[in-house]
Amino acid sequence: MKIEDMHQVVKCTVLGSGTSSGVPFIGCTCLVCTSTNPKNNRLRSSCLFQVDGKNIVVDTSPDLRQQALRTPFKIIDAVLYTHVHADHVHGIDELRIFNVHKKGAIPVYGTKETIDHLIAKFPYVFLPHQDSTYFIPHVETHVVTGLFDCEGVKVQMIPCHHGKNYITMNYRIGNIAWLTDTNGIPEESKKLLKGLKYLFLDGLRITPHNTHFNLQEAIKVAQEIGAEKTYLIHLTHDYDHDEFNKTLPAGIELAYDGLTVEA
Ligand SMILES: [Zn+2]
Ligand SMILES: [Zn+2]
Ligand SMILES: [Zn+2]
């Protein structure tokens, strides 16, 4: 069966559309950082997939607590990790509260390299779990690759370049793909992105960057992949949401925190 037909309805909510600093950037007085438009307020990169009654988050951003309160949600059935940069993993401690609600360990998925790096970065999380008070998070690791089963949900891993010699593992569920932190999509990965309804794609900023797509690169790649709609994510304060959206080609928009799509 094709990945696009595996689930009836897939819902995806943007928990964070911002770059590693978040927007506003601390201390910045630019028009975007001081804007009162909530669409210019960008928490760190993450999204929530809701499919077949499961809540699956991509990454544990440093803003996970705020994201869960704001959306809101209190259940995490699984975490899919893209890579171990701080803006994608440092909210791992917030999983404690989700342990309380789940009354058990949270399954976390990633490549062997990602899981090994998580263990090296946060050794206390991976100590044998002693009790049910959850003063430390309790996770259960799953090393995965390709197309895999995540708590009954079919997930396709999409490897992408993130600078030289570094790969992020991004994810597609049904007809929605979340591609954060990338400056290049290998041909093999592009084949896994056919027939998308919604593509979330790194479009960091206007000027070039050596590990992320800038605006022009993201537009080119979005048009090549040809999803019905592409939303740019991992955004800096370069973009005033409403002003910029008017300038983008048809089918491409800036994402914003709280945006929900269904496919
Ligand atoms: Zn990032
Ligand atoms: Zn600013
Ligand atoms: Zn990164």
Side-chain angles (χ1 to χ4, degrees):
M1 193 191 281
K2 286 182 177 171
I3 180 118
E4 46 266 51
D5 304 323
M6 281 174 179
H7 298 283
Q8 294 240 301
V9 181
V10 180
K11 194 170 153 186
C12 183
T13 299
V14 177
L15 300 180
S17 59
T19 188
S20 58
S21 60
V23 179
F25 186 97
I26 295 170
C28 183
T29 55
C30 80
L31 285 176
V32 175
C33 288
T34 56
S35 161
T36 54
N37 182 352
K39 290 179 178 171
N40 285 330
N41 217 304
R42 304 177 176 125
L43 296 181
R44 265 67 69 86
S45 182
S46 182
C47 72
L48 169 68
F49 279 104
Q50 294 176 294
V51 49
D52 295 347
K54 301 286 183 189
N55 280 358
I56 300 172
V57 297
V58 177
D59 295 328
T60 51
S61 95
D63 299 318
L64 176 57
R65 175 176 175 276
Q66 218 180 320
Q67 290 163 333
L69 290 170
R70 184 181 63 178
T71 303
F73 61 96
K74 65 174 194 179
I75 300 293
I76 292 181
D77 293 293
V79 179
L80 303 173
Y81 278 110
T82 59
H83 65 308
V84 293
H85 287 163
D87 51 324
H88 298 264
V89 298
H90 279 205
I92 195 167
D93 198 69
E94 308 299 346
L95 291 178
R96 293 181 298 129
I97 313 307
F98 298 94
N99 289 137
V100 172
H101 291 301
K102 191 164 190 276
K103 300 185 178 65
I106 309 284
V108 300
Y109 291 73
T111 57
K112 182 169 187 312
E113 192 188 15
T114 296
I115 300 291
D116 286 349
H117 277 154
L118 279 176
I119 295 169
K121 261 190 166 195
F122 306 102
Y124 79 101
V125 173
F126 298 89
L127 293 171
H129 200 71
Q130 305 292 351
D131 56 41
S132 57
T133 51
Y134 301 114
F135 288 122
I136 59 167
H138 185 194
V139 301
E140 170 192 292
T141 58
H142 296 263
V143 170
V144 287
T145 186
L147 178 67
F148 60 93
D149 183 281
C150 169
E151 309 307 300
V153 175
K154 289 282 175 260
V155 178
Q156 175 67 57
M157 199 180 259
I158 315 280
C160 298
H161 297 291
H162 183 24
K164 263 192 190 153
N165 307 320
Y166 196 89
I167 298 285
T168 41
M169 294 298 171
N170 289 296
Y171 297 99
R172 172 180 186 162
I173 302 180
N175 280 323
I176 304 177
W178 179 265
L179 307 188
T180 189
D181 292 52
T182 177
N183 68 333
I185 304 179
E187 287 308 313
E188 284 306 306
S189 293
K190 281 181 190 159
K191 289 180 194 159
L192 303 170
L193 296 169
K194 294 207 163 95
L196 280 178
K197 194 152 183 202
Y198 295 106
L199 169 66
F200 291 93
L201 180 66
D202 185 352
L204 185 76
R205 67 182 191 190
I206 295 162
T207 53
H209 190 278
N210 56 7
T211 63
H212 295 266
F213 286 133
N214 72 349
L215 177 67
Q216 285 316 315
E217 292 164 334
I219 288 173
K220 190 165 169 271
V221 171
Q223 288 172 334
E224 194 185 335
I225 292 171
E228 282 180 32
K229 185 150 229 170
T230 298
Y231 286 104
L232 303 182
I233 55 171
H234 212 286
L235 308 173
T236 69
H237 57 168
D238 274 10
Y239 301 106
D240 176 84
H241 182 275
D242 294 352
E243 285 306 313
F244 242 92
N245 250 355
K246 290 183 216 157
T247 69
L248 295 176
I252 302 177
E253 290 187 29
L254 298 176
Y256 55 89
D257 291 20
L259 166 70
T260 297
V261 298
E262 225 176 81

